[in-house]
Amino acid sequence: MKLPAADADLFFKLMWGLQFYVNQQRGILPDIDSVEDYVALPMADKAQVRNALWENPALIDAYPAENPDGLSAEELEIIRKWKRFVAGTFYIFRYLKKHAIFISGEDAKVYGVLALYESLEDVLYGRRLPVMVQAVLLPFKGKIIYDGMLSGYNIFFGRGIRSSLNEEYMAAKQNERIITTLEPELAKPTRRRRKKPGKDWRPVVDELVEKAEKIKGGPAAQSAAFSLFRAGAKLAQAAAHNPDDLDELWKQERRVRTALSRLQTVLARAER
């Protein structure tokens, strides 16, 4: 869930060099004459330079163009790609084995983000998830990292927000939309596991629907229950025949809800 130490070393070497350059260009912190002096500064001071960097992304091109630190072509390319940064408010929602799940507070996109030297759980002192943070996400060797600074909010989220975030995460997971790189040109082709063909339930479901159509009438509760049974059977039939036809599935789902509502009304009346 975090970068190898050598990659973390490389990241900070490049980031501190870039930020020192930004400080020289913008004159934010005077009397800082070397990268070593800059690295020794408190993080609160560095934050001023860091913010100026992301507010002026043209400096990301200017630094490699001048290359004052004599970086290699590979190192310069890493920095150039930082123009693809994603800044904003995120919810750190879950820690997984491969990465931490960040959910954007702006567009609900879901990202898989690696930590740097320390795990994000340690960086956040074991705070209960979800945690809202201001962060800048960056591409790095085909992965996504953050820029080394997180500004957190001391907010406790209730069940409603947690449920909403979980739904965003589960939808992204189900539809394979968790973003794990900002460098799609480096992404390895995903090997889709061949799904073993499941049992063909269509004949069974078709027979069930045919029989269900004949089950009608009786007392109010029985009639309503049979109606729900028929609606459920037709929903199962639609899923068995055309699982990708979402319009039809939603149509049948609405009929199930209508039948369920009718049954609930009948049962409520029976209790009066």
Side-chain angles (χ1 to χ4, degrees), residues 86-93 101-113 132-133 135 137 164-165 168-169 179:
V86 180
T89 301
F90 298 89
Y91 298 92
I92 301 179
F93 177 69
I101 294 297
F102 280 51
I103 301 178
S104 170
E106 279 81 29
D107 55 18
K109 288 183 178 178
V110 180
Y111 298 87
V113 180
M132 181 189 285
V133 297
L137 307 186
S164 176
L165 292 172
E168 294 292 351
Y169 165 64
I179 301 168

Side-chain angles (χ1 to χ4, degrees), residues 2 4 34 38 82 93 102 108 126-127 145 167 169 195 233 253-254 261:
K2 60 182 181 179
S34 68
Y38 182 79
W82 289 349
F93 177 69
F102 280 51
R127 287 175 58 187
I145 59 174
E167 182 56 31
Y169 165 64
K195 295 182 179 179
E253 185 271 345
R254 286 192 294 272
S261 177

Side-chain angles (χ1 to χ4, degrees), residues 17-28 49 52-53 59:
L18 174 59
Q19 289 187 13
F20 174 68
Y21 173 82
V22 171
N23 187 60
Q24 286 184 309
Q25 297 300 308
R26 297 291 171 172
I28 300 167
V49 180
L53 167 61
L59 292 169

Side-chain angles (χ1 to χ4, degrees), residues 49-76:
V49 180
R50 174 255 201 172
N51 293 339
L53 167 61
W54 305 125
E55 290 167 3
N56 298 275
L59 292 169
I60 300 173
D61 285 330
Y63 176 62
E66 294 185 27
N67 195 14
D69 298 317
L71 300 177
S72 69
E74 180 183 357
E75 291 170 333
L76 295 174

Side-chain angles (χ1 to χ4, degrees), residues 180-211:
T180 57
T181 182
L182 299 175
E183 305 163 83
E185 70 277 6
L186 296 183
K188 296 179 181 179
T190 303
R191 281 189 178 182
R192 291 181 175 267
R193 293 182 180 179
R194 286 188 177 181
K195 295 182 179 179
K196 294 181 180 179
K199 182 175 179 178
D200 184 2
W201 290 104
R202 288 175 297 179
V204 176
V205 175
D206 290 345
E207 182 180 356
L208 183 63
V209 169
E210 183 179 353
K211 291 181 177 179

